[in-house]
Amino acid sequence: MNLPTINELSKEIANLISAGEVVERPSSVVKELVENAIDANASIIKVELINSGIKKINVLDNGFGMTKDQIPVAIKPHATSKIKTSKDLFNIATLGFRGEALPSIQSVSKMRISSCTDGVNGYFYQYKSSDLVDEGVTSMPIGTKVEVENLFFNTPARLKHLSTESVELSHITTLINRIALANPTIQFILINNNKLIYQTDGSGDIISLMGQTYGLDVAKSLIKFENKNDLYHIKGYTTTNNVYRSNKNYINIIINNRIIRNLNILFAVTDAYKSIIPVGKYPITILEIECDPSLIDVNVHPTKLEIRFTDELILREMITSTIGKALYHTELVYEAKEKDIKKEIPVIDENPYVTVIKEDEPEIIKEESIETLWDEFDEGNVFPDLEDAEDNFDDDEEYDDDENDEDDDNAFELEIETKVEVQKVEFQESIFDTLTYIGQYHKTYLLFDGGAELYLIDQHAAMERCMYEKIRKSFEKESNQSYELLVPIKLEFSVSEIPLINEKEHELNKLGIKFEPFGGTTIIVREIPLWIPKNLEIEFINDIINHLINNQNVSKSVMYESLAKKLSCKKSIKANTSILDSEVNELLNNLKQCQMPYTCPHGRPTLVKISTYEIEKIFKRVI
Ligand code: ZN
Ligand code: ZN
């Protein structure tokens, strides 16, 4: 087998990738050393830390190793085995750069590199802030061991800047988690102060890897997805709406075996979950994209790596619809377990069901505040600057708004309608068809006998889902069926709003709203769409117009999405309201026909089941 040779970069390229501050914290050291180990074809990589790496970092691998002569070349600035010409920069299969890292690390620590290519002739070099202080033969198995001690000992300002040990350790753990997910056939071992923190088995099995990384609950709720077109092959696993987290760090994007951050791709994933999981919650996902490296456009800025894809819109759409389909084809009925019912304090992240039954504030207020969150999430950063692959992985703030002017121009063109085409799935019929209505409980929940399970439907959430899908559908139509009002509606606006409304006339017409100015601050509405419920005409029209004129900068699909949520909530039967049997029937029928009957548009469950077994456990019939 050929050993990869390490080349020195030309000055030109060295400047191009001038990495600036490569070593920020222990995790940057770990990242570089682990990636070097991966490049050396290691199948086992062990990271040992003392005091979260602040005192010591050891990275051991069983890769190719280096000869006595190769080690000093690796330490030289701008040596890399990855990039030989500037053309490679734009054609790299791996999205990381080497060459800066080792010398940078060397300059701020006491570093010792030992390596061996044949299991016999091992050699080591020891440096103290770039000065060679010792070298010699050493006996070791094939592979490389890099020891980095007293990081930043000669740059006390840097040292002072570090966070607490537990924060530094979490940086490193997140990093190793992500690298491990991108390299399922490599075994990773992470140890801190002689305590095992994380370990993978290197078996290549993604589900067990996800279990080792995120826990059993996550592994159990994973669904698989896969799709390809001429350019891209995507595949991976993602959680159902039963398991989610409060930040986006659990969405892992891997391109050609290298983990990257890219907001556009991340949004393609979260778009598939809109109206399925609560706002501000995110799935746990591993998404792998395989493609010819030439389809990836890499722009190197002094401190940033910008990645763009050929036909990025098509790629995004494929990701959203593929994950969407996988979700919509899965039975997403929430299942309540005895431990949940007994729990006093809801664990919001883990158990939506418990949260729901503990809620006692008025619902609308809650949902509207939730809605705002979505809006912020969407509007702020639909097409922000692309993320940097070299960034720290675990800093959620980085996703937050930094308004980017240059992207604003094409933001609307780039807008993707993220509707997911779904065929009806058989099991959906079977669930709703097996339910026998028992009665209403707490004037809020509808109880059904489902044979082996007791089903509860949240009447408001269920109705909201039906209404939401109806409104969404009508928004998607090119022209809406409307009818002429017997008594036209007069609406008052402010002087400044009237021109904005006139500007939107075409769009309002398309929605089925026909109006004319009535002079001054009044408009008169003559026609409205058929779907608007009786007695809510004025309220709905007002809401629609206000939403349209107050969300000028929001992409259309985002605006319609939030409008549909808002309107559907208003229309739906409230909690604490009696319901007729005939209304229950109609509701169940409508719900059955929904594309996604299992959650309300805000991601709360509509339907919860409790198995007979769980109930028998409560009554101590079984243990
Ligand atoms: Zn609601
Ligand atoms: Zn809702």
Short mmCIF file of all heavy atoms in Angstrom, two decimals, residues 356-404:
data_model
loop_
_atom_site.label_atom_id
_atom_site.label_comp_id
_atom_site.label_asym_id
_atom_site.label_seq_id
_atom_site.Cartn_x
_atom_site.Cartn_y
_atom_site.Cartn_z
N VAL A 356 -48.20 18.27 27.75
CA VAL A 356 -49.55 18.64 27.35
C VAL A 356 -50.52 18.55 28.52
O VAL A 356 -51.28 19.46 28.78
CB VAL A 356 -50.02 17.74 26.18
CG1 VAL A 356 -51.49 17.96 25.92
CG2 VAL A 356 -49.20 18.03 24.95
N ILE A 357 -50.46 17.48 29.27
CA ILE A 357 -51.44 17.35 30.33
C ILE A 357 -51.14 18.27 31.52
O ILE A 357 -51.99 18.54 32.32
CB ILE A 357 -51.61 15.89 30.83
CG1 ILE A 357 -50.29 15.32 31.33
CG2 ILE A 357 -52.20 15.00 29.76
CD1 ILE A 357 -50.46 13.98 32.01
N LYS A 358 -49.93 18.77 31.59
CA LYS A 358 -49.63 19.66 32.69
C LYS A 358 -50.01 21.12 32.40
O LYS A 358 -50.01 21.96 33.28
CB LYS A 358 -48.13 19.62 33.00
CG LYS A 358 -47.62 18.30 33.53
CD LYS A 358 -48.09 18.05 34.94
CE LYS A 358 -47.32 18.94 35.93
NZ LYS A 358 -47.69 18.63 37.30
N GLU A 359 -50.26 21.39 31.17
CA GLU A 359 -50.49 22.76 30.75
C GLU A 359 -51.76 23.33 31.38
O GLU A 359 -52.80 22.72 31.31
CB GLU A 359 -50.75 22.70 29.25
CG GLU A 359 -49.95 23.63 28.45
CD GLU A 359 -50.21 23.32 26.99
OE1 GLU A 359 -51.35 23.51 26.58
OE2 GLU A 359 -49.27 22.86 26.32
N ASP A 360 -51.67 24.49 31.99
CA ASP A 360 -52.95 25.08 32.35
C ASP A 360 -53.13 26.53 31.94
O ASP A 360 -54.17 27.10 32.14
CB ASP A 360 -53.27 24.87 33.85
CG ASP A 360 -52.04 24.98 34.71
OD1 ASP A 360 -50.95 24.90 34.15
OD2 ASP A 360 -52.13 25.15 35.89
N GLU A 361 -52.12 27.11 31.32
CA GLU A 361 -52.35 28.48 30.86
C GLU A 361 -53.26 28.42 29.63
O GLU A 361 -53.34 27.39 28.98
CB GLU A 361 -51.07 29.18 30.44
CG GLU A 361 -49.82 28.71 31.11
CD GLU A 361 -48.85 28.10 30.14
OE1 GLU A 361 -48.34 28.84 29.30
OE2 GLU A 361 -48.62 26.88 30.23
N PRO A 362 -53.90 29.55 29.35
CA PRO A 362 -54.79 29.54 28.18
C PRO A 362 -53.99 29.18 26.93
O PRO A 362 -52.88 29.66 26.74
CB PRO A 362 -55.30 30.97 28.09
CG PRO A 362 -54.90 31.65 29.34
CD PRO A 362 -53.85 30.83 30.01
N GLU A 363 -54.57 28.36 26.13
CA GLU A 363 -53.80 27.77 25.06
C GLU A 363 -53.40 28.75 23.97
O GLU A 363 -52.29 28.70 23.48
CB GLU A 363 -54.62 26.64 24.44
CG GLU A 363 -53.73 25.67 23.71
CD GLU A 363 -54.45 24.96 22.63
OE1 GLU A 363 -55.63 25.27 22.43
OE2 GLU A 363 -53.83 24.13 21.99
N ILE A 364 -54.29 29.63 23.62
CA ILE A 364 -54.01 30.50 22.47
C ILE A 364 -52.78 31.35 22.73
O ILE A 364 -51.90 31.46 21.88
CB ILE A 364 -55.20 31.43 22.20
CG1 ILE A 364 -56.40 30.57 21.84
CG2 ILE A 364 -54.88 32.39 21.07
CD1 ILE A 364 -57.66 31.34 21.65
N ILE A 365 -52.71 31.87 23.92
CA ILE A 365 -51.57 32.71 24.25
C ILE A 365 -50.29 31.93 24.03
O ILE A 365 -49.35 32.38 23.41
CB ILE A 365 -51.66 33.17 25.72
CG1 ILE A 365 -52.86 34.10 25.86
CG2 ILE A 365 -50.37 33.87 26.13
CD1 ILE A 365 -53.22 34.43 27.25
N LYS A 366 -50.33 30.72 24.48
CA LYS A 366 -49.15 29.89 24.37
C LYS A 366 -48.77 29.67 22.90
O LYS A 366 -47.64 29.86 22.51
CB LYS A 366 -49.43 28.57 25.04
CG LYS A 366 -48.17 27.80 25.25
CD LYS A 366 -48.38 26.69 26.21
CE LYS A 366 -47.07 25.99 26.45
NZ LYS A 366 -46.79 24.93 25.54
N GLU A 367 -49.77 29.31 22.13
CA GLU A 367 -49.46 28.97 20.75
C GLU A 367 -49.02 30.19 19.96
O GLU A 367 -48.20 30.09 19.07
CB GLU A 367 -50.66 28.31 20.09
CG GLU A 367 -50.89 26.94 20.70
CD GLU A 367 -51.84 26.11 19.90
OE1 GLU A 367 -52.64 26.72 19.17
OE2 GLU A 367 -51.78 24.88 19.99
N GLU A 368 -49.57 31.33 20.31
CA GLU A 368 -49.16 32.50 19.55
C GLU A 368 -47.71 32.84 19.85
O GLU A 368 -46.97 33.25 18.97
CB GLU A 368 -50.08 33.67 19.85
CG GLU A 368 -51.49 33.36 19.37
CD GLU A 368 -52.18 34.56 18.81
OE1 GLU A 368 -51.99 35.65 19.37
OE2 GLU A 368 -52.93 34.41 17.84
N SER A 369 -47.34 32.66 21.09
CA SER A 369 -45.95 32.97 21.40
C SER A 369 -45.04 31.96 20.70
O SER A 369 -43.95 32.28 20.26
CB SER A 369 -45.71 32.95 22.91
OG SER A 369 -45.95 31.66 23.42
N ILE A 370 -45.53 30.76 20.60
CA ILE A 370 -44.78 29.74 19.87
C ILE A 370 -44.63 30.15 18.42
O ILE A 370 -43.56 30.08 17.84
CB ILE A 370 -45.53 28.40 19.95
CG1 ILE A 370 -45.29 27.75 21.30
CG2 ILE A 370 -45.07 27.47 18.83
CD1 ILE A 370 -46.10 26.54 21.54
N GLU A 371 -45.72 30.66 17.89
CA GLU A 371 -45.70 31.05 16.49
C GLU A 371 -44.64 32.10 16.22
O GLU A 371 -43.93 32.05 15.24
CB GLU A 371 -47.07 31.63 16.14
CG GLU A 371 -47.55 31.27 14.78
CD GLU A 371 -49.01 31.61 14.69
OE1 GLU A 371 -49.29 32.82 14.63
OE2 GLU A 371 -49.84 30.70 14.70
N THR A 372 -44.57 33.04 17.11
CA THR A 372 -43.58 34.09 16.94
C THR A 372 -42.19 33.50 16.84
O THR A 372 -41.38 33.92 16.04
CB THR A 372 -43.62 35.05 18.15
OG1 THR A 372 -44.97 35.19 18.53
CG2 THR A 372 -43.03 36.37 17.79
N LEU A 373 -41.97 32.50 17.65
CA LEU A 373 -40.66 31.86 17.62
C LEU A 373 -40.32 31.31 16.25
O LEU A 373 -39.25 31.49 15.74
CB LEU A 373 -40.62 30.72 18.64
CG LEU A 373 -40.20 31.12 20.04
CD1 LEU A 373 -40.37 29.95 20.96
CD2 LEU A 373 -38.76 31.58 20.02
N TRP A 374 -41.30 30.64 15.69
CA TRP A 374 -41.06 30.10 14.34
C TRP A 374 -40.73 31.23 13.40
O TRP A 374 -39.82 31.14 12.60
CB TRP A 374 -42.32 29.42 13.81
CG TRP A 374 -42.25 27.95 13.80
CD1 TRP A 374 -43.15 27.10 14.35
CD2 TRP A 374 -41.25 27.11 13.21
NE1 TRP A 374 -42.76 25.81 14.16
CE2 TRP A 374 -41.61 25.78 13.47
CE3 TRP A 374 -40.07 27.36 12.51
CZ2 TRP A 374 -40.86 24.70 13.04
CZ3 TRP A 374 -39.32 26.28 12.08
CH2 TRP A 374 -39.72 24.98 12.35
N ASP A 375 -41.51 32.29 13.52
CA ASP A 375 -41.30 33.40 12.60
C ASP A 375 -39.88 33.91 12.71
O ASP A 375 -39.21 34.13 11.73
CB ASP A 375 -42.28 34.53 12.91
CG ASP A 375 -43.69 34.11 12.53
OD1 ASP A 375 -43.82 33.07 11.87
OD2 ASP A 375 -44.64 34.82 12.88
N GLU A 376 -39.46 34.08 13.94
CA GLU A 376 -38.10 34.59 14.11
C GLU A 376 -37.08 33.65 13.49
O GLU A 376 -36.17 34.04 12.81
CB GLU A 376 -37.78 34.72 15.61
CG GLU A 376 -38.36 35.98 16.20
CD GLU A 376 -38.42 35.89 17.71
OE1 GLU A 376 -37.76 35.02 18.28
OE2 GLU A 376 -39.14 36.70 18.29
N PHE A 377 -37.30 32.41 13.74
CA PHE A 377 -36.39 31.40 13.24
C PHE A 377 -36.32 31.46 11.72
O PHE A 377 -35.26 31.44 11.13
CB PHE A 377 -36.90 30.04 13.70
CG PHE A 377 -36.08 28.89 13.21
CD1 PHE A 377 -34.72 28.85 13.43
CD2 PHE A 377 -36.67 27.85 12.53
CE1 PHE A 377 -33.97 27.78 13.00
CE2 PHE A 377 -35.92 26.78 12.09
CZ PHE A 377 -34.57 26.75 12.32
N ASP A 378 -37.48 31.60 11.10
CA ASP A 378 -37.51 31.58 9.64
C ASP A 378 -37.04 32.88 9.03
O ASP A 378 -36.17 32.89 8.18
CB ASP A 378 -38.95 31.33 9.16
CG ASP A 378 -39.30 29.88 9.33
OD1 ASP A 378 -38.44 29.05 9.04
OD2 ASP A 378 -40.42 29.59 9.75
N GLU A 379 -37.65 33.95 9.52
CA GLU A 379 -37.41 35.22 8.86
C GLU A 379 -35.97 35.64 9.00
O GLU A 379 -35.37 36.14 8.08
CB GLU A 379 -38.28 36.31 9.49
CG GLU A 379 -39.72 36.15 9.16
CD GLU A 379 -40.57 36.90 10.15
OE1 GLU A 379 -40.07 37.87 10.75
OE2 GLU A 379 -41.72 36.51 10.34
N GLY A 380 -35.46 35.48 10.19
CA GLY A 380 -34.13 35.99 10.47
C GLY A 380 -33.11 35.45 9.50
O GLY A 380 -32.24 36.15 9.06
N ASN A 381 -33.27 34.22 9.16
CA ASN A 381 -32.13 33.59 8.55
C ASN A 381 -32.50 32.52 7.54
O ASN A 381 -32.01 31.42 7.61
CB ASN A 381 -31.29 32.97 9.67
CG ASN A 381 -29.87 33.41 9.54
OD1 ASN A 381 -29.46 33.77 8.45
ND2 ASN A 381 -29.12 33.37 10.62
N VAL A 382 -33.39 32.89 6.64
CA VAL A 382 -33.76 31.88 5.67
C VAL A 382 -32.57 31.54 4.77
O VAL A 382 -32.28 30.40 4.49
CB VAL A 382 -34.97 32.33 4.83
CG1 VAL A 382 -35.34 31.25 3.84
CG2 VAL A 382 -36.13 32.63 5.74
N PHE A 383 -31.88 32.56 4.36
CA PHE A 383 -30.70 32.31 3.53
C PHE A 383 -29.52 33.12 4.02
O PHE A 383 -29.08 34.06 3.41
CB PHE A 383 -31.00 32.66 2.07
CG PHE A 383 -32.01 31.74 1.49
CD1 PHE A 383 -33.34 32.08 1.51
CD2 PHE A 383 -31.62 30.52 0.99
CE1 PHE A 383 -34.28 31.21 1.01
CE2 PHE A 383 -32.56 29.65 0.49
CZ PHE A 383 -33.89 30.00 0.49
N PRO A 384 -29.06 32.77 5.17
CA PRO A 384 -27.95 33.52 5.72
C PRO A 384 -26.65 33.05 5.10
O PRO A 384 -26.64 32.15 4.27
CB PRO A 384 -28.00 33.15 7.19
CG PRO A 384 -28.57 31.78 7.18
CD PRO A 384 -29.40 31.62 5.94
N ASP A 385 -25.61 33.66 5.56
CA ASP A 385 -24.30 33.27 5.10
C ASP A 385 -24.07 31.79 5.41
O ASP A 385 -24.49 31.28 6.43
CB ASP A 385 -23.27 34.11 5.87
CG ASP A 385 -22.08 34.36 5.00
OD1 ASP A 385 -22.13 33.98 3.81
OD2 ASP A 385 -21.12 34.93 5.51
N LEU A 386 -23.43 31.15 4.54
CA LEU A 386 -23.20 29.73 4.76
C LEU A 386 -22.22 29.52 5.88
O LEU A 386 -21.32 30.31 6.10
CB LEU A 386 -22.67 29.11 3.48
CG LEU A 386 -23.77 29.08 2.43
CD1 LEU A 386 -23.17 29.10 1.06
CD2 LEU A 386 -24.65 27.87 2.62
N GLU A 387 -22.41 28.45 6.57
CA GLU A 387 -21.59 28.24 7.76
C GLU A 387 -20.23 27.67 7.42
O GLU A 387 -20.00 27.05 6.40
CB GLU A 387 -22.31 27.31 8.72
CG GLU A 387 -23.39 28.02 9.50
CD GLU A 387 -22.80 29.07 10.43
OE1 GLU A 387 -21.71 28.85 10.97
OE2 GLU A 387 -23.44 30.10 10.59
N ASP A 388 -19.41 27.88 8.33
CA ASP A 388 -18.01 27.54 8.18
C ASP A 388 -17.74 26.15 8.71
O ASP A 388 -18.08 25.82 9.82
CB ASP A 388 -17.25 28.58 8.98
CG ASP A 388 -15.76 28.35 8.91
OD1 ASP A 388 -15.33 27.43 8.22
OD2 ASP A 388 -15.06 29.10 9.57
N ALA A 389 -17.13 25.35 7.90
CA ALA A 389 -16.86 23.99 8.34
C ALA A 389 -15.83 23.96 9.46
O ALA A 389 -15.74 23.00 10.20
CB ALA A 389 -16.37 23.16 7.17
N GLU A 390 -15.07 25.00 9.58
CA GLU A 390 -14.02 24.99 10.58
C GLU A 390 -14.48 25.54 11.92
O GLU A 390 -13.73 25.55 12.87
CB GLU A 390 -12.84 25.82 10.09
CG GLU A 390 -12.25 25.34 8.78
CD GLU A 390 -11.49 24.03 8.93
OE1 GLU A 390 -10.70 23.93 9.87
OE2 GLU A 390 -11.72 23.12 8.13
N ASP A 391 -15.68 26.01 11.95
CA ASP A 391 -16.17 26.60 13.20
C ASP A 391 -16.27 25.57 14.30
O ASP A 391 -16.30 24.38 14.07
CB ASP A 391 -17.57 27.17 12.99
CG ASP A 391 -17.51 28.53 12.36
OD1 ASP A 391 -16.40 29.09 12.27
OD2 ASP A 391 -18.55 29.03 11.96
N ASN A 392 -16.39 26.08 15.50
CA ASN A 392 -16.74 25.17 16.58
C ASN A 392 -18.11 24.63 16.29
O ASN A 392 -19.00 25.34 15.91
CB ASN A 392 -16.80 25.93 17.90
CG ASN A 392 -15.42 26.32 18.33
OD1 ASN A 392 -14.47 25.59 18.11
ND2 ASN A 392 -15.32 27.48 18.94
N PHE A 393 -18.26 23.37 16.52
CA PHE A 393 -19.52 22.75 16.16
C PHE A 393 -20.63 23.06 17.14
O PHE A 393 -21.78 22.99 16.84
CB PHE A 393 -19.35 21.24 16.13
CG PHE A 393 -18.57 20.79 14.95
CD1 PHE A 393 -17.37 20.16 15.10
CD2 PHE A 393 -19.07 21.03 13.69
CE1 PHE A 393 -16.66 19.75 13.99
CE2 PHE A 393 -18.35 20.61 12.58
CZ PHE A 393 -17.15 19.98 12.73
N ASP A 394 -20.25 23.36 18.35
CA ASP A 394 -21.25 23.27 19.40
C ASP A 394 -21.73 24.62 19.89
O ASP A 394 -22.24 24.74 20.97
CB ASP A 394 -20.68 22.45 20.55
CG ASP A 394 -19.21 22.72 20.73
OD1 ASP A 394 -18.70 23.61 20.02
OD2 ASP A 394 -18.58 22.09 21.54
N ASP A 395 -21.55 25.61 19.11
CA ASP A 395 -21.94 26.92 19.58
C ASP A 395 -23.20 27.36 18.88
O ASP A 395 -23.18 27.84 17.76
CB ASP A 395 -20.80 27.90 19.30
CG ASP A 395 -21.01 29.20 20.05
OD1 ASP A 395 -22.06 29.36 20.67
OD2 ASP A 395 -20.11 30.04 19.99
N ASP A 396 -24.31 27.18 19.54
CA ASP A 396 -25.59 27.38 18.87
C ASP A 396 -25.81 28.82 18.44
O ASP A 396 -26.50 29.10 17.50
CB ASP A 396 -26.74 26.94 19.78
CG ASP A 396 -27.97 26.63 18.96
OD1 ASP A 396 -27.81 26.03 17.89
OD2 ASP A 396 -29.07 27.01 19.37
N GLU A 397 -25.20 29.73 19.17
CA GLU A 397 -25.39 31.14 18.84
C GLU A 397 -25.03 31.44 17.39
O GLU A 397 -25.54 32.36 16.79
CB GLU A 397 -24.52 32.04 19.72
CG GLU A 397 -25.23 32.50 20.97
CD GLU A 397 -24.96 31.51 22.09
OE1 GLU A 397 -23.86 31.50 22.63
OE2 GLU A 397 -25.87 30.72 22.38
N GLU A 398 -24.13 30.66 16.89
CA GLU A 398 -23.66 30.96 15.54
C GLU A 398 -24.76 30.93 14.50
O GLU A 398 -24.65 31.50 13.45
CB GLU A 398 -22.61 29.94 15.14
CG GLU A 398 -21.30 30.21 15.79
CD GLU A 398 -20.31 29.19 15.35
OE1 GLU A 398 -20.15 29.05 14.14
OE2 GLU A 398 -19.74 28.52 16.20
N TYR A 399 -25.82 30.22 14.84
CA TYR A 399 -26.90 30.15 13.88
C TYR A 399 -27.75 31.42 13.90
O TYR A 399 -28.58 31.62 13.07
CB TYR A 399 -27.80 28.96 14.19
CG TYR A 399 -27.19 27.67 13.78
CD1 TYR A 399 -26.70 26.79 14.72
CD2 TYR A 399 -27.07 27.35 12.43
CE1 TYR A 399 -26.14 25.60 14.34
CE2 TYR A 399 -26.51 26.16 12.05
CZ TYR A 399 -26.04 25.29 13.01
OH TYR A 399 -25.49 24.11 12.63
N ASP A 400 -27.57 32.19 14.92
CA ASP A 400 -28.47 33.33 15.07
C ASP A 400 -28.17 34.41 14.05
O ASP A 400 -27.10 34.49 13.47
CB ASP A 400 -28.39 33.86 16.49
CG ASP A 400 -29.12 32.91 17.42
OD1 ASP A 400 -29.93 32.11 16.92
OD2 ASP A 400 -28.85 32.94 18.60
N ASP A 401 -29.18 35.24 13.95
CA ASP A 401 -29.19 36.23 12.89
C ASP A 401 -27.91 37.03 12.77
O ASP A 401 -27.50 37.68 13.70
CB ASP A 401 -30.29 37.25 13.18
CG ASP A 401 -31.59 36.54 13.41
OD1 ASP A 401 -31.59 35.32 13.66
OD2 ASP A 401 -32.60 37.20 13.34
N ASP A 402 -27.24 36.95 11.67
CA ASP A 402 -26.44 38.08 11.31
C ASP A 402 -26.93 38.48 9.94
O ASP A 402 -26.74 37.78 8.96
CB ASP A 402 -24.93 37.79 11.36
CG ASP A 402 -24.54 36.64 10.47
OD1 ASP A 402 -25.29 35.65 10.44
OD2 ASP A 402 -23.52 36.72 9.81
N GLU A 403 -27.66 39.55 9.94
CA GLU A 403 -28.31 39.99 8.70
C GLU A 403 -27.28 40.12 7.59
O GLU A 403 -26.23 40.71 7.77
CB GLU A 403 -28.99 41.34 8.94
CG GLU A 403 -30.28 41.23 9.71
CD GLU A 403 -31.34 40.42 8.98
OE1 GLU A 403 -31.30 40.39 7.73
OE2 GLU A 403 -32.19 39.82 9.65
N ASN A 404 -27.61 39.59 6.49
CA ASN A 404 -26.65 39.58 5.41
C ASN A 404 -27.26 40.24 4.19
O ASN A 404 -28.13 39.70 3.55
CB ASN A 404 -26.24 38.15 5.11
CG ASN A 404 -25.08 38.12 4.18
OD1 ASN A 404 -25.00 38.94 3.27
ND2 ASN A 404 -24.17 37.19 4.39
#
